[in-house]
Amino acid sequence: MIDRRIVRRLLLGTATGLALAVTGVSVPIVTGALTPAMAQSSDDMAAALDAYGHWIRDARYGEVWVPDGVPPDWRPYEYGHWVYTDDWGWYWVSDDAEDDWGWVVYHYGRWAHDPRTGWFWVPGDEWAPAWVNWRYGGDDIGWAPMPPDDLIDAYDDDAEYWSFVPLRYIGEPELRRYYVPRDRRVVVLRDTRIINRPVHIEGRRVWVNPGLAPGFIAGRAHVTLHAYNVRPRVFGGTAGVQGAVTVRRDELRNKGDIRRVAPVTIQRMTTAIVPTTNVPPPKPLSKGEHGVLGSHPPRAAQGTVTPQPQPEVQPQTQPKPGAAGPPPKGPATIQQHNAPAPTVTPTTPSAPPKEQPPERHEERRVVPPGGAAQPKPNVVHPVTPSPPPPKQPPPAAHAPPPPQVHAPPPPHAPPPAAVHTPPPPKGPPPKKPPDTKAEPPK
């Protein structure tokens, strides 16, 4: 069965490639012929999708896939919801009904529409959180499947290809409850403009989906939005999707096993996205214009936009071990965290007294530094009579000095020492009877 499928795909790809060469049709993104990169994942994609749809041959794109069991008015990116990720931007989460195959067709390849066939999926080996174009205007936001590059503008002005919701509901898990009714899509389409598309990361086979900035949505619609951590499924040939769960071919043999053997994990962050106010709405894109990253690009694209990400994360985490050595420059916050460490070492009493006034709060925890004993030399005077002043400089600095100053008066007690009564006044000797025996004392 596997061999027949491979042979069928090779024959269809070769036939389509020859037909395109004869007719001179140029297809910049994906063709029916298998490229070396596609050859690595084409068999895995077939194994992942064969049980949920059927393959047909399209005159322009070669072998394409059509899902089975979907409603007649079905559209891609309709049964699911959006979550914003700091890594890749807006990520499409498929509902359970489409999760077994949605992880392939909503994150690889492109979608196109044919009046006879309906929607069909054109395989591709580049990964994205979602392949959609974005519209915005007033209080509405919309998205539509992004076709191959040669049809990039084909669906821009056709309301049948677009889904719209009020801006405040873009982050709702049950997103389909808030879709604009079909009869109002034409009106909303007229009041909105295309403002973004996925953006390719240079040098990698990964794209990001900035869409409309979540901070702008939170400020404009007055809603609380959270970022999410997502671990998506990817094929073994996909590189550069951090934290992704790689799906092996043997895990695709049994229908319905993918959710058990390779579950997609989605975790909401506790910190809410900060709303931005007084920010103008995004500018509409011109016909055929590529998407834009915006002022806060996803992390995966920060390798190409270097101004903001690097100083925020790495310089604050790495300087901790050496913060005691180079404190003169910059991060005062880093010095605050590292202040206890330098104060414990009594090696900084002489030089830092002039540079440490702002760190007096730390001196309250550690008494030994010389900064508390040296600035008050006047207290040294009463230290002479009392031996234990070195351990009690703080109390001696305020109240004890006055009582100790009164202590010296006891040594000045010589005036009372005049107890040596002065000699009696020298005058005429008293008249006494002649019976006195001894002579008066000299």
Side-chain angles (χ1 to χ4, degrees):
M1 181 66 182
I2 299 296
D3 296 336
R4 292 175 59 187
R5 182 175 58 205
I6 296 175
V7 171
R8 185 190 71 216
R9 293 177 62 81
L10 290 173
L11 290 176
L12 288 174
T14 304
T16 305
L18 292 175
L20 293 174
V22 172
T23 57
V25 176
S26 175
V27 181
I29 286 292
V30 184
T31 65
L34 294 176
T35 63
M38 279 293 298
Q40 298 179 0
S41 56
S42 60
D43 294 337
D44 292 342
M45 291 181 178
L49 298 176
D50 281 350
Y52 307 101
H54 58 280
W55 297 87
I56 62 174
R57 187 172 66 86
D58 181 76
R60 175 176 291 186
Y61 302 110
E63 193 174 10
V64 296
W65 181 83
V66 179
D68 290 338
V70 296
D73 60 347
W74 178 88
R75 292 190 313 273
Y77 301 99
E78 182 179 9
Y79 293 84
H81 65 278
W82 294 104
V83 296
Y84 185 82
T85 67
D86 290 329
D87 291 330
W88 312 294
W90 290 99
Y91 178 94
W92 180 256
V93 181
S94 302
D95 285 350
D96 290 343
E98 299 182 356
D99 185 44
D100 289 335
W101 48 270
W103 68 275
V104 180
V105 298
Y106 293 142
H107 303 285
Y108 292 92
R110 308 284 184 88
W111 284 92
H113 185 270
D114 182 83
R116 296 168 298 178
T117 307
W119 287 98
F120 60 88
W121 178 72
V122 181
D125 62 340
E126 295 182 324
W127 185 90
W131 296 94
V132 296
N133 296 327
W134 292 92
R135 297 184 76 98
Y136 167 72
D139 294 324
D140 295 309
I141 186 172
W143 62 95
M146 183 176 177
D149 282 358
D150 59 332
L151 298 176
I152 195 66
D153 299 326
Y155 308 146
D156 285 0
D157 300 323
D158 194 331
E160 289 297 320
Y161 302 126
W162 289 87
S163 298
F164 293 100
V165 295
L167 187 63
R168 63 180 292 104
Y169 298 122
I170 189 63
E172 290 293 325
E174 298 182 3
L175 186 62
R176 201 162 182 268
R177 295 176 52 188
Y178 307 100
Y179 283 175
V180 172
R182 185 172 183 174
D183 56 355
R184 291 193 58 245
R185 290 182 198 162
V186 176
V187 177
V188 177
L189 182 79
R190 187 171 56 246
D191 296 337
T192 57
R193 298 292 183 270
I194 294 182
I195 50 95
N196 220 341
R197 315 182 194 273
V199 179
H200 179 237
I201 302 177
E202 187 176 356
R204 298 164 63 182
R205 306 192 70 81
V206 175
W207 295 55
V208 293
N209 186 28
L212 188 60
F216 175 83
I217 297 175
R220 176 82 177 188
H222 305 287
V223 294
T224 302
L225 294 176
H226 292 263
Y228 287 76
N229 283 332
V230 179
R231 296 190 62 196
R233 301 187 191 104
V234 298
F235 288 110
T238 302
V241 183
Q242 185 177 3
V245 179
T246 302
V247 178
R248 301 187 305 269
R249 189 181 304 179
D250 59 352
E251 296 173 338
L252 302 171
R253 293 176 180 175
N254 299 324
K255 182 178 180 178
D257 280 357
I258 189 64
R259 280 186 281 179
R260 177 179 57 84
V261 299
V264 174
T265 58
I266 302 173
Q267 182 181 10
R268 193 183 81 165
M269 304 292 289
T270 57
T271 305
I273 293 173
V274 178
T276 56
T277 56
N278 300 326
V279 176
K283 296 181 180 179
L285 298 181
S286 304
K287 280 287 186 181
E289 185 178 356
H290 295 292
V292 294
L293 292 174
S295 59
H296 296 81
R299 290 174 184 168
Q302 289 180 358
T304 59
V305 182
T306 54
Q308 294 179 355
Q310 292 181 354
E312 288 182 0
V313 179
Q314 294 179 354
Q316 289 185 0
T317 55
Q318 293 180 357
K320 286 186 178 180
K329 276 190 180 181
T333 54
I334 296 178
Q335 292 180 358
Q336 293 286 345
H337 294 294
N338 296 332
T343 52
V344 172
T345 58
T347 56
T348 58
S350 57
K354 294 182 180 180
E355 299 180 357
Q356 287 184 350
E359 297 180 359
R360 293 296 182 187
H361 297 286
E362 304 299 336
E363 294 177 359
R364 289 185 297 179
R365 299 180 182 178
V366 182
V367 180
Q374 292 179 358
K376 299 180 181 179
N378 296 333
V379 185
V380 178
H381 176 70
V383 171
T384 52
S386 57
K391 294 184 179 180
Q392 296 179 350
H398 300 285
Q404 290 179 356
V405 173
H406 293 288
H412 293 287
V419 176
H420 301 283
T421 56
K426 296 180 181 180
K431 297 177 180 182
K432 292 184 180 180
D435 57 355
T436 55
K437 300 179 181 180
E439 297 180 358
K442 292 180 182 182

